Amino acid sequence: MRILDLNNFYAPTGGGVRTYHERKLDFFAARPEDRYTLVLPGTRERVEARGAAQIVEVPARAMGGAGYRAITSGRRVAALIAELRPELIEIGSPYLLPWLVRRALARAGLRCATVGFVHADVPDTYVRPALAARRLLRPLAGPATALAARQMARTYRWMSATFGASEHVLGKLRALGLRRLFHAPLGVEAELFAPARRDLELRRAHGIADDERLVLFVGRLSGEKGIEHLLAAWPELAGRRDRAGARLRLVVAGHGPREADVAALAAADPSIVRLDHLAGRAEVAGWMASADRFLALGAFETFSLTTLEALACATPVIAPDRGGAAELVRRLGAGATFDPDAPGALAKAILDAASPTTAQTAHLRRTIEAEYTWTAACARLRRAYARVVEAEAAGERARLEAPDGWWPAQRSASPADPPGKIGDSV
């Protein structure tokens, strides 16, 4: 199968989207029967072979100061399609690429399967909060969010199918009238994110005692990642002990627009450790495994890869009671959810959270290794691609409409029922 993958959400310093594409690249690099091309927005023209796959970097416009760039050249997109003659094109960002791809296919008279992968809930993550935060614009938040949702539906409706990593986002897409939907959960590097990486010396080097309860936040310090919930909750917790009697410590890693607020909080509270930089995914995995609780505070995550990574380390996750993070917490039975609109709810969840038993940790790891590796995720994705290509070639898109809302992820047989949800007992 010839696959062309384009995404303006990719950035060299990005998080879950970058990891998704890099692991998919690894998967197809080992599959000579396929021809996979990942197109990256960059600063120059570059082609790099990666086994049976390849990376094509094309010049793109800088978008802000976070390293993101956007492919805006319709001519370059059309040239790539004409050269590679893909059987399937995946479009990972909703702003400009869908229109460029659609126009290029129409002008060339080509019939090609196209799928959109929804990596961002634009209406609720960006549009609504941006307007609601400004008093004069607040009355426009509802209508503008509804307009953004209708535009989202128009963006994906012309495509052969739409993929979402969580049932949460698929439910929103179905409510917008989309019907050719596929559930495509992401994966985790289970050998890297593992309980065995717990490192007491790492904690001690930052003044965290073995008997203290380490609460960890790793992510962009911004509204969409829910940092305001932590800024409000932690002053209630300073100097407190959890229900098991352990003193609480907070470690925060990441940068973003609320960085000054986090710095001020850390300066006023010696229980907080502020990490300026984490040198790669191995260090992230080390901190996740060494933590006792992980905070995934974004309420509108389309999946929340960091949640899955923390759970793979058998670290309970505390998340808002909506979005992709909550879905993973409930599905894997590891952690707790809280109402982000209720004052004091996050602080209470942190105080009440419990550590997993040995049996719970073993069950969690069996589930991760059976269902959530990147190999399993990419194999599911490839099977879904094949179904879409076959239906598009036959001119029978209707067969891609799932009778129960969306096509479920094809999982292996689930391990035995868990011996109790993590969080039920200390």
Side-chain angles (χ1 to χ4, degrees):
M1 189 188 312
R2 298 184 304 279
I3 303 162
L4 177 60
D5 206 343
L6 305 108
N7 195 344
N8 279 336
F9 282 159
Y10 181 98
T13 58
V17 171
R18 181 193 64 174
T19 301
Y20 163 72
H21 285 296
E22 291 181 350
R23 298 292 79 78
K24 188 161 56 162
L25 187 70
D26 292 340
F27 175 81
F28 282 106
R31 290 184 61 90
E33 63 270 38
D34 294 318
R35 182 60 174 168
Y36 174 79
T37 299
L38 174 61
V39 179
L40 302 181
T43 59
R44 59 194 172 101
E45 289 282 352
R46 181 177 69 91
V47 178
E48 175 190 338
R50 187 76 65 87
Q54 68 173 349
I55 299 170
V56 176
E57 181 181 336
V58 302
R61 294 181 182 273
M63 302 293 290
Y68 287 90
R69 292 180 170 271
I71 299 169
T72 60
S73 171
R75 182 175 298 179
R76 190 68 185 93
V77 170
L80 283 166
I81 292 173
E83 175 190 351
L84 299 170
R85 310 289 292 186
E87 296 171 84
L88 181 137
I89 300 174
E90 179 177 309
I91 307 167
S93 49
Y95 301 124
L96 183 59
L97 281 175
W99 181 75
L100 294 179
V101 169
R102 188 178 188 182
R103 187 176 67 167
L105 291 172
R107 287 186 172 181
L110 295 176
R111 187 184 186 95
C112 172
T114 51
V115 302
F117 203 119
V118 180
H119 291 288
D121 180 356
V122 173
D124 281 322
T125 302
Y126 301 109
V127 176
R128 187 189 300 275
L131 296 176
R134 295 165 173 81
R135 183 173 59 84
L136 293 177
L137 298 178
R138 201 166 294 153
L140 300 177
T145 302
L147 180 63
R150 289 195 295 272
Q151 178 57 38
M152 189 175 184
R154 285 192 294 270
T155 295
Y156 294 110
R157 188 172 288 120
W158 71 268
M159 299 182 193
S160 308
T162 308
F163 289 21
S166 67
E167 294 184 352
H168 163 74
V169 75
L170 289 170
K172 288 193 168 189
L173 295 172
R174 182 166 174 78
L176 292 174
L178 299 175
R179 292 295 179 264
R180 299 183 296 276
L181 300 172
F182 285 79
H183 186 204
L186 306 187
V188 64
E189 298 135 293
E191 70 288 348
L192 178 63
F193 292 89
R197 286 192 171 266
R198 186 172 178 86
D199 185 354
L200 293 178
E201 290 303 323
L202 177 66
R203 295 163 53 111
R204 292 166 187 161
H206 290 81
I208 302 169
D210 295 0
D211 61 351
E212 290 181 318
R213 198 78 73 209
L214 194 168
V215 180
L216 177 66
F217 178 95
V218 176
R220 181 167 165 78
L221 307 180
S222 60
E224 71 267 19
K225 296 301 180 182
I227 191 63
E228 70 277 2
H229 299 306
L230 180 58
L231 291 169
W234 195 258
E236 301 179 42
L237 299 171
R240 300 275 300 274
R241 295 177 181 271
D242 69 6
R243 70 173 183 172
R247 182 170 177 263
L248 295 171
R249 299 294 303 275
L250 174 65
V251 174
V252 180
H255 298 279
R258 302 298 299 274
E259 196 161 345
D261 297 319
V262 172
L265 182 67
D269 186 349
S271 72
I272 300 174
V273 174
R274 179 76 174 96
L275 299 180
D276 183 61
H277 177 68
L278 294 181
R281 292 176 63 69
E283 188 172 2
V284 172
W287 274 107
M288 284 184 169
S290 301
D292 301 296
R293 311 285 181 267
F294 183 80
L295 302 178
L297 302 179
F300 299 105
E301 296 286 350
T302 57
F303 183 73
S304 187
L305 185 57
T306 56
T307 294
L308 183 60
E309 290 167 347
L311 294 176
C313 295
T315 300
V317 174
I318 298 173
D321 59 4
R322 61 207 67 168
E327 187 174 311
L328 284 169
V329 167
R330 292 175 182 132
R331 178 162 288 165
L332 294 172
T337 62
F338 68 97
D339 181 354
D341 298 323
L346 174 57
K348 184 178 187 304
I350 292 172
L351 289 170
D352 291 347
S355 300
T357 65
T358 301
Q360 289 167 340
T361 296
H363 169 78
L364 183 57
R365 284 297 297 182
R366 285 196 301 271
T367 305
I368 293 289
E369 291 167 3
E371 300 180 8
Y372 286 99
T373 66
W374 275 114
T375 298
C378 290
R380 287 193 297 262
L381 192 67
R382 206 273 178 196
R383 289 194 294 269
Y385 284 168
R387 289 183 63 184
V388 175
V389 167
E390 181 183 4
E392 185 68 40
E396 297 177 358
R397 283 187 174 185
R399 73 165 78 163
L400 299 176
E401 296 183 11
D404 298 320
W406 47 81
W407 297 107
Q410 296 176 342
R411 290 199 176 91
S412 58
S414 296
D417 289 338
K421 177 181 177 181
I422 297 175
D424 287 348
S425 59
V426 178

